């Protein structure tokens, strides 16, 4: 879907027909009042706000007629000072709840140009809704084209276009992730990324099965065996004119995860078209980083396969060999993400980048550990700290889990170098996943040390929002952590 145009205006001039004007509502001495706003509100003072259902509750919204055929949208802003995250969420709620208007004008008080930028960013992120597959039941048509914030605190034209680039990359991620597995399969995901990268300065290589075999990518090939639609590896490269730091990104791109022969129960299989979120997120972030011309070298590796059961599928107890030479006993074909990432992390390590960050919908266990709002974060402390601070900067939430090396022996295999799961119980499933991935960084499997700083983000519980939209998060694919990755590149570059 398209992202609305973002505009600022120095001051309010007049009401335009069919335009919604967002007015802040707060409380003073327990009484509802209109908050400080640059928009003309004298008409509103006659109204009895409580009887209209108006509230100061954050993101609540009531519409009343405004002059010249315009509409007032009275939005609750709470009673405390607004943080950047609050403003981003209020911008998002405005755009989402008023998307049936072609134009909306937001009149919240801003203290600096960053406040204005946060409202605009929120509006660009919050207006998203997934309607591509609606037929006869589309509901209210989305018409939103322009969002204007009235404020003298104007972000520069350059920073507004940066916001638009980043929001478009989040929305592109959401579009890809929301696609059903029937329509998005390894080849079509690879092609969609190639198309999206055109003109961005990112070069794209797509490796099909012959190349995967030649390169020794036994993990991606093994997972892809069961599907009639073969696996792919996509390599994206962005080389800046200046900038020495090299960031490698690796994404899990399972276009549908049935579990393979270790078949998932039907309820757990629902939503498994989202299992390519990591790949879509690192691709979108790389394209955004290139469009912003950030001074950092970025290489992204998308590890793409469809995990299906069939007569050609890999079996439990099969042994595969990853790119780094390590043999893996596949005890559970449903722990496939770590098998494809084993190849991606090995490949990423070969160029000895400064940082590797992988992003994956890896374990159901992360939802039990952290719920649906925090991504699980593990790895080398320096990289973990960098991701943490990048996430904080954009209002996204991550939580570090302890990657205790003592647990590594739980995935010893009797016949191969490592097993892909721990048998017996599910304790610490997310950490076990992280410990498995660690083996494919540098030559760690051989007990050697390296200078690569690695972080792993388990986004299995945050990739998808099953509930109602909130803040900048729509229903369905969230697109979360694309902004964290772009901010990480900003901070490291
Ligand atoms: N794609 C799933 C993880 C997942 C679960 C993502 C729920 C989103 C929601 C992954 O491939 C998987 O199946 N993991 C197994 C690992 C287990 C076999 C060790 C899991 O979480 O059950
Ligand atoms: Zn799985
Ligand atoms: Zn999976």
């Amino acid at each position: 879907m398209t992202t609305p145009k973002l505009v600022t205006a120095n001051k309010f001039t007049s009401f335009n027909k069919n335009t919604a004007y967002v007015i802040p509502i707060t409380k003073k001495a327990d009484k509802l009042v209109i908050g400080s706003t640059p928009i003309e509100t004298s008409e509103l003072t006659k109204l009895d706000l409580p009887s209209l259902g108006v509230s100061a509750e954050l993101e609540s919204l009531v519409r009343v007629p405004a002059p010249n055929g315009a509409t007032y949208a009275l939005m609750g802003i709470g009673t405390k000072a607004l943080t950047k995250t609050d403003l981003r969420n209020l911008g998002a709620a405005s755009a989402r709840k008023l998307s049936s208007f072609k134009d909306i004008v937001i009149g919240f008080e801003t203290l600096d140009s960053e406040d204005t930028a946060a409202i605009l960013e929120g509006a660009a992120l919050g207006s998203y809704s997934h309607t591509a597959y609606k037929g006869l039941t589309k509901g209210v048509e989305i018409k939103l084209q322009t969002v204007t914030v009235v404020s003298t605190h104007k972000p520069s034209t350059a920073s507004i276009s940066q916001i638009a680039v980043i929001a478009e990359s989040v929305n592109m991620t959401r579009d890809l992730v929301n696609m059903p597995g029937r329509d998005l399969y390894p080849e079509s995901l690879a092609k969609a990324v190639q198309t999206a990268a055109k003109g961005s300065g990112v070069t794209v290589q797509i490796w099909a099965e012959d190349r995967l075999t030649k390169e020794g990518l036994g993990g991606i090939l093994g997972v892809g065996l069961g599907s009639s639609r073969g696996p792919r590896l996509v390599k994206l490269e962005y080389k800046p004119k200046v900038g020495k730091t090299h960031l490698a990104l690796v994404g899990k791109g399972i276009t549908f995860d049935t579990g393979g022969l270790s078949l998932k129960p039907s309820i757990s299989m629902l939503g498994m078209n989202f299992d390519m979120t990591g790949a879509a997120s690192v691709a979108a972030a790389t394209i955004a980083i290139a469009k912003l011309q950030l001074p950092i070298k970025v290489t992204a590796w998308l590890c793409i396969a469809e995990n299906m059961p069939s007569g050609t599928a890999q079996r439990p107890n099969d042994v595969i060999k990853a790119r780094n030479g390590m043999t893996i006993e596949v005890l559970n074909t449903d722990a496939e993400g770590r098998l494809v990432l084993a190849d991606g992390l090995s490949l990423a390590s070969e160029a000895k980048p400064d940082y590797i960050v992988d992003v994956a919908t890896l374990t159901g266990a992360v939802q039990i550990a952290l719920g649906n709002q925090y991504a699980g974060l593990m790895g080398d402390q320096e990289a973990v700290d960098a991701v943490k601070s990048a996430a904080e900067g954009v209002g996204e939430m991550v939580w570090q889990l302890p990657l205790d090396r003592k647990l590594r022996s739980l995935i010893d295999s009797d016949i191969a170098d490592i097993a892909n799961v721990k048998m017996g119980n599910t304790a610490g499933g997310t950490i076990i996943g992280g410990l498995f991935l660690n083996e494919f960084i540098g030559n760690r499997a051989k007990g050697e040390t390296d200078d690569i700083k690695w972080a792993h983000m388990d986004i299995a519980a945050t990739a998808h929002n099953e509930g109602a939209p909130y803040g900048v998060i729509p229903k369905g694919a969230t697109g979360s952590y694309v902004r964290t990755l772009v901010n990480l590149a900003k901070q490291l570059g």
Side-chain angles (χ1 to χ4, degrees), residues 7-12 148-152 154:
V7 181
T8 56
N10 273 329
K11 57 181 184 20
F12 170 78
T148 305
V149 174
V150 184
S151 168
T152 49
K154 289 183 149 198

Side-chain angles (χ1 to χ4, degrees), residues 289-308:
I289 290 164
K291 285 186 177 166
L292 301 177
Q293 300 188 325
L294 299 183
I296 181 166
K297 179 178 167 179
V298 179
T299 314
W301 305 88
L302 320 185
C303 310
I304 306 175
E306 185 177 43
N307 191 21
M308 298 291 269

Side-chain angles (χ1 to χ4, degrees), residues 257 264 307 334-336:
D257 182 12
K264 285 182 184 294
N307 191 21
D334 195 14
E336 83 300 336

Side-chain angles (χ1 to χ4, degrees), residues 252 257 264 272 275 332 334-338 361-365 421 460:
K252 169 176 172 180
D257 182 12
K264 285 182 184 294
M272 282 302 141
D275 215 19
N332 188 324
D334 195 14
E336 83 300 336
R338 59 197 75 183
T361 47
L362 205 71
T363 65
V421 295

